[in-house]
Amino acid sequence: MSEDLNFVMKARREKLAALEAAGIAPFAYGFDVTHDAGSALRALAEGAEEGPVVRVAGRLVAWRPHGKTVFGHLADQWSRIQLYFRRDDLGDQVFTLVDLLDLGDVIGVSGPLFRTRTGETTIRVESVTLLAKSLRPLPFGKEERQDDRLVRHSGFADPEQRYRQRYADLAVHPEVRRRFVARSRMISAIRRQLDGLGYLEVETPVLQPQYGGAAARPFLTHHNTLDMPLYLRIADELYLKRLVVGGLERVYEVGHDFRNEGIDRTHNPEFTMLEFYEAWADYGVMMSRVEQLLVAASDAVRDVLAPERIPAAERSVLPDESHPAMPVLRPPFPRVEWVPSLHAAAGVEVMALDTPGLRGVAERVGVHGVADLSRPKLLDEVFQALVECRIEDPTFVIDYPKELSPLAKPKRGNPELTERFELFARGKEVANAFSELNDPIDQRARLEAQARLKAAGDEEAVGVDEDYLRAMEYGMPPMGGVGIGIDRLFMYLTDAANIRDVILFPTMRPE
RNA sequence: GACCCGGUAGCUCAGCUGGUAGAGCAACGGACUUUUAAUCCGUAGGUCGCGGGUUCGAGACCCGCCCGGGUCACCA
């Protein structure tokens, strides 16, 4: 073991041994705190030179010994405060502990606040408790303050290591901690919003004997005792709708879906999906639900990340470049109809074209491999190329062609279309919703068509879920349903470029 | 899956047309009782992603592989 340790780690092991020899426990059970770093900073009154005694715990993130004194900085979740250790105040015995401290150690301190010559609020440490010895050096960079701006030098920059060792990324980067707090607050706000509308949060199976509700390749696993295959869900949809059949009229679920497909900057094999279903509502009602929800989500994110809302003590530890550009949402969002917007963008009646003509249009707008694509797929690709990817501000695209939307009810007054909308922003899909199909005869026909595709080798097609059809045959209330990809929504609200930046532990190959 | 870029000390990086591996920070020893990228003196620290090949000699050149980042494709 010890030959695996580099020299830095060896030095820390030696300090650990020295601490134990001195009777100092290197790993504590707890510490009574009176303040966090931010409230301690505020406890020294403006202009005052001396303040109350505070007890603060955190991690040593800076360490500047000067002979018989040491200056350091102690960081907690939100902020940091300077520590001043003075041999004459602490005594030789306590100072031996101070001499054995390292960058990264978790400690608790107690002492009065004072203001240094340069004006920085500081704890004059009177007692130190080691809470956890850091035996492995954290990749701290150095920080410099330039005209009130925080500039990092030689920081922890390798994206691979930051994703693999998120704990280290979080430990040395307060702005990363803050980003994930914002994500959590966003999800809480969404729950509050739905709870306030009388929705019930439910949990449906992740392990499913039959997957459905979307088109994707699933993960397959096996249950030993039942000796049967089980799939990780690709969507929550079919179970949530069963609950509406059962009389739970407003239900939602926030959870992980799993899709066995590629990994790139907008795809992770497991991702967080919100789905909610509301009996008696159609897609028009669901549009206003989505607007309300997005405003609540955006406000929650802004509360954590908008620089003007961050207390000064917390803002001072964030590099300027870590403040994301956040969109301002102003509902009602514009609505554009699928067919007219496509025709306007294409300058031709695309829907009237035969399939070869459609291929020509698709080729012209840069769609690849048009020869292999079905008509619905071609339509979708052309729409994506001409309309979707140009939508900047949140916009509902409504009334999709029937051939594109096998799960949506036909549009009242125009059976060629469906009552479906998708919300787009920055060229990306944020929400997808329907007036849900509740006709079991129609549903069976569509599922059987899917099953034929699956039998023909389409790995994304789903089979006939007889249990789901049985539920629908009992009578399924009309309902609106919405799916929102939480990771993508948070990416949009925080201007993130890579889904890995919004997932704490993204899927990686093993080291 | 295709293409481009990258992998060198704990961290951030340099290393020229091939000639025995470098810096800053971190670490260790010393000086320093209000510093803040502390400063000053000294020391130590490396399987140059892995495996082959070319060569008198490879971190560098060639082939294969692994890992990551980016772009594109796929993901109705």
Side-chain angles (χ1 to χ4, degrees):
Chain A
M1 167 80 182
S2 67
E3 56 270 18
D4 294 323
L5 302 179
N6 67 41
F7 62 101
V8 178
M9 292 179 67
K10 278 183 185 150
R12 298 220 171 170
R13 292 290 171 125
E14 284 159 15
K15 288 183 182 177
L16 182 72
L19 286 163
E20 283 169 334
I24 296 165
F27 301 100
Y29 289 85
F31 187 77
D32 287 326
V33 299
T34 60
H35 294 71
D36 63 15
S39 61
L41 288 171
R42 288 189 290 276
L44 182 65
E46 192 88 17
E49 292 301 309
E50 295 286 332
V53 170
V54 294
R55 293 173 61 84
V56 181
R59 191 185 290 279
L60 279 177
V61 297
W63 196 240
R64 297 182 294 278
H66 292 262
K68 308 266 186 307
T69 65
V70 183
F71 284 92
H73 274 96
L74 188 69
D76 60 16
Q77 176 166 330
W78 294 110
S79 186
R80 71 168 64 161
I81 188 166
Q82 183 166 251
L83 307 179
Y84 178 52
F85 301 85
R86 193 165 178 269
R87 190 171 201 124
D88 287 354
D89 295 341
L90 287 164
D92 290 350
Q93 201 171 344
V94 174
F95 214 75
T96 57
L97 163 59
V98 174
D99 278 333
L100 292 169
L101 290 178
D102 286 300
L103 215 53
D105 284 351
V106 181
I107 66 170
V109 300
S110 166
L113 295 165
F114 76 108
R115 200 176 299 282
T116 64
R117 185 188 292 163
T118 58
E120 181 165 352
T121 300
T122 302
I123 301 173
R124 188 190 311 277
V125 176
E126 289 177 339
S127 74
V128 201
T129 308
L130 183 56
L131 303 178
K133 185 69 188 159
S134 170
L135 296 177
R136 183 182 290 271
L138 274 166
F140 287 110
K142 290 226 164 186
E143 291 177 351
E144 182 187 11
R145 196 152 289 288
Q146 290 177 353
D147 312 324
D148 221 36
R149 284 176 2 100
L150 192 68
V151 178
R152 290 242 175 84
H153 300 274
S154 305
F156 185 35
D158 180 355
E160 176 180 354
Q161 292 310 319
R162 292 179 64 178
Y163 297 141
R164 287 190 191 281
Q165 298 186 42
R166 183 68 85 186
Y167 38 88
D169 185 33
L170 288 162
V172 305
H173 292 134
E175 70 276 20
V176 177
R177 292 199 290 274
R178 185 166 282 273
R179 191 195 311 139
F180 283 104
V181 169
R183 179 186 162 121
S184 184
R185 296 275 167 79
M186 179 188 85
I187 294 171
S188 297
I190 288 170
R191 284 197 163 100
R192 261 198 312 282
Q193 185 81 21
L194 290 168
D195 292 344
L197 288 166
Y199 274 80
L200 190 70
E201 180 169 12
V202 297
E203 297 166 275
T204 66
V206 172
L207 291 174
Q208 303 181 346
Q210 193 155 17
Y211 60 94
R217 296 176 61 185
F219 285 91
L220 175 61
T221 185
H222 181 262
H223 189 277
N224 288 340
T225 306
L226 297 176
D227 189 23
M228 63 179 283
L230 283 170
Y231 298 95
L232 275 61
R233 69 178 173 203
I234 59 172
D236 309 2
E237 176 153 352
L238 301 184
Y239 281 95
L240 290 171
K241 289 194 213 170
R242 281 172 169 94
L243 296 177
V244 179
V245 169
L248 300 178
E249 294 174 0
R250 298 185 175 194
V251 291
Y252 74 94
E253 181 164 14
V254 182
H256 278 199
D257 288 347
F258 305 84
R259 296 187 183 175
N260 205 341
E261 286 161 356
I263 297 177
D264 63 27
R265 71 184 194 288
T266 58
H267 295 83
N268 197 64
E270 63 178 305
F271 58 98
T272 305
M273 181 66 106
L274 164 69
E275 292 191 32
F276 56 101
Y277 294 84
E278 177 172 334
W280 331 126
D282 66 5
Y283 77 145
V285 173
M286 299 320 269
M287 271 187 258
S288 62
R289 298 279 185 259
V290 168
E291 284 172 342
Q292 286 177 285
L293 217 51
L294 258 60
V295 169
S298 168
D299 285 348
V301 168
R302 203 166 281 278
D303 261 341
V304 181
L305 295 182
E308 69 274 11
R309 298 200 196 168
I310 301 176
E314 296 170 21
R315 201 171 56 234
S316 68
V317 302
L318 305 172
D320 277 16
E321 62 275 16
S322 70
H323 298 302
M326 290 176 281
V328 177
L329 304 183
R330 292 201 185 82
F333 304 142
R335 280 130 222 242
V336 305
E337 292 173 78
W338 197 94
V339 173
S341 61
L342 177 61
H343 287 179
V348 52
E349 298 268 320
V350 174
M351 295 301 290
L353 296 172
D354 57 10
T355 300
L358 183 56
R359 283 218 169 85
V361 173
E363 194 137 46
R364 195 151 47 79
V365 300
V367 177
H368 297 256
V370 292
D372 301 330
L373 297 178
S374 62
R375 185 178 173 88
K377 182 71 185 155
L378 283 166
L379 287 170
D380 190 57
E381 288 288 337
V382 171
F383 187 79
Q384 200 168 322
L386 289 177
V387 184
E388 274 181 29
C389 68
R390 298 187 188 160
I391 294 176
E392 272 305 306
D393 295 326
T395 303
F396 289 115
V397 174
I398 66 171
D399 298 345
Y400 282 61
K402 191 171 186 178
E403 49 199 320
L404 273 180
S405 310
L407 297 171
K409 280 178 85 73
K411 182 172 170 62
R412 283 160 276 190
N414 187 349
E416 295 307 303
L417 302 178
T418 55
E419 298 198 356
R420 173 185 182 183
F421 70 83
E422 293 197 80
L423 180 69
F424 291 94
R426 291 213 183 122
K428 295 274 162 37
E429 176 190 335
V430 173
N432 183 21
F434 314 112
S435 294
E436 301 290 341
L437 180 61
N438 63 339
D439 172 348
I441 295 167
D442 191 354
Q443 185 69 79
R444 176 176 293 280
R446 298 191 194 194
L447 287 179
E448 283 175 349
Q450 284 279 306
R452 282 193 292 277
L453 286 175
K454 187 180 184 182
D458 184 341
E459 291 184 88
E460 286 180 356
V462 297
V464 178
D465 188 333
E466 288 293 344
D467 180 71
Y468 177 65
L469 287 169
R470 177 167 60 191
M472 197 180 281
E473 283 164 1
Y474 282 126
M476 178 180 280
M479 71 177 104
V482 177
I484 295 180
I486 292 294
D487 314 279
R488 300 263 184 97
L489 172 61
F490 188 66
M491 287 174 71
Y492 167 61
L493 292 177
T494 60
D495 196 28
N498 195 317
I499 198 168
R500 288 179 160 177
D501 294 328
V502 304
I503 293 177
L504 280 167
F505 296 101
T507 304
M508 305 279 283
R509 279 201 167 85
E511 285 179 86

